[in-house]
Amino acid sequence: MIRIGCTLIALFFTAGLASAGEPDPATPEGDPTRAEYWRHCSIDGFPAAACGGTASSCPPGTLMSPISWIGTCRNPVDGKRYILSYNDCCGKGPCGQAFAHRNEGDKPVYYAQKSNDVGWCMGPADAVYNSTVSIVIGVEAEDEE
Amino acid sequence: MKRLAALASVALATLASIALATAAAGDPQSDYMLQCQGCHRADGSGFGESVPDLRDSVGRFLEVPGGRAFLVQVPGSAQSPLSDARLAGVLNWMIERFGPARVAAGFEPYDAEEVATLRTPLLDVAAVRARLLAGIAESP
């Protein structure tokens, strides 16, 4: 299922788009409940942390999709780029909070595996989209090629 | 059951976060994570009938005619943004990582030149895969 419908819902629910800005100065790495949080740099949807979950866990009553799309974001504290898995949380209606429309590394939908417009609520998590986690799964070092 | 699965996913994700893999961009594991893992998953288990399970499986294609080319020509390989050299590297890494071990122990690694020669997307992936799997099923 394509995320376009979700995006429209998100525009309805939220007052404005998040800018790809700097982290919340209140904490070193920023606030994961906000769209601007560094780990959310490739999210097109609602951060799970703003919906009752955390940056790495889904809100109660939702199920995490087993498959995901993978991207990288720069941690503003240490300057390193981290590899992140964006798994969707599924099973309840769209959260509607802190809509993040940040698309670093996003590709057109004909590169489905690298497009954040694609919904990942499939298989055991085959249900309506609720939100998205931003799980750090690795550290990307300098490109040598 | 769904709750257990969700808890398991969270636990695995947490473990993964704790034991971060530090991988240089351009090294095969990093390329697997960025280009393959989203669907094939970290352990290669895939996703039902939609995404093939690589475990004790991916290397078996090297044991049947046409299988070596097939691994370069599947959409995730042929259409990936990886260079020929990096695609060769991640294919070699996957065969060594996911096996089967008897293949991984003695296979001839891909290199950039071979990948460049083979890298033509298949028109009917499912049909070719079905034919190759039939051959694998008949092989010892």
Side-chain angles (χ1 to χ4, degrees):
Chain A
M1 183 175 69
I2 304 298
R3 185 73 60 71
I4 293 170
C6 173
T7 301
L8 292 174
I9 293 169
L11 288 170
F12 176 80
F13 276 111
T14 55
L17 299 181
S19 62
E22 292 303 307
D24 185 336
T27 59
E29 291 192 351
D31 180 355
T33 67
R34 296 182 57 183
E36 294 85 354
Y37 182 56
W38 72 273
R39 283 203 222 172
H40 305 332
C41 80
S42 297
I43 282 188
D44 181 2
F46 308 112
C51 306
T54 71
S56 304
S57 65
C58 285
T62 66
L63 187 62
M64 189 184 294
S65 62
I67 59 175
S68 64
W69 95 280
I70 309 266
T72 64
C73 298
R74 187 182 69 86
N75 182 330
V77 174
D78 62 15
K80 295 179 181 176
R81 291 199 71 84
Y82 287 80
I83 303 173
L84 291 116
S85 179
Y86 294 100
N87 300 66
D88 284 344
C89 303
C90 319
K92 293 170 71 174
C95 158
Q97 299 296 318
F99 177 50
H101 192 249
R102 301 177 57 189
N103 299 310
E104 285 189 28
D106 180 40
K107 301 289 185 188
V109 290
Y110 47 83
Y111 293 115
Q113 73 273 24
K114 300 302 288 182
S115 172
N116 67 4
D117 288 332
V118 175
W120 297 94
C121 290
M122 293 181 264
D126 188 2
V128 64
Y129 169 81
N130 173 262
S131 55
T132 303
V133 293
S134 308
I135 303 171
V136 175
I137 60 170
V139 183
E140 185 182 55
E142 294 296 318
D143 200 336
E144 296 170 352
E145 190 174 83
Chain B
M1 181 65 81
K2 284 186 175 182
R3 191 175 184 82
L4 284 175
L7 288 171
S9 295
V10 171
L12 286 172
T14 303
L15 285 173
S17 297
I18 293 170
L20 285 181
T22 303
D27 79 19
Q29 184 178 1
S30 179
D31 283 338
Y32 177 81
M33 293 173 81
L34 285 167
Q35 306 300 332
C36 316
Q37 181 171 316
C39 295
H40 285 290
R41 306 174 76 176
D43 64 356
S45 59
F47 179 61
E49 296 181 358
S50 302
V51 182
D53 186 343
L54 301 172
R55 299 169 299 176
D56 289 328
S57 171
V58 62
R60 296 214 63 188
F61 285 94
L62 302 185
E63 300 182 315
V64 295
R68 190 173 177 93
F70 176 76
L71 295 184
V72 179
Q73 295 168 339
V74 295
S77 293
Q79 298 171 25
S80 82
L82 296 173
S83 67
D84 294 334
R86 283 171 66 164
L87 179 55
V90 76
L91 286 170
N92 294 333
W93 183 88
M94 289 166 67
I95 292 165
E96 291 169 359
R97 170 70 177 78
F98 298 119
R102 70 168 188 280
V103 175
F107 81 106
E108 179 76 20
Y110 292 95
D111 61 23
E113 187 176 348
E114 180 185 16
V115 165
T117 302
L118 298 175
R119 198 170 183 173
T120 304
L122 294 166
L123 294 178
D124 191 342
V125 179
V128 175
R129 181 168 183 270
R131 176 173 57 77
L132 294 171
L133 288 177
I136 289 172
E138 294 172 0
S139 67

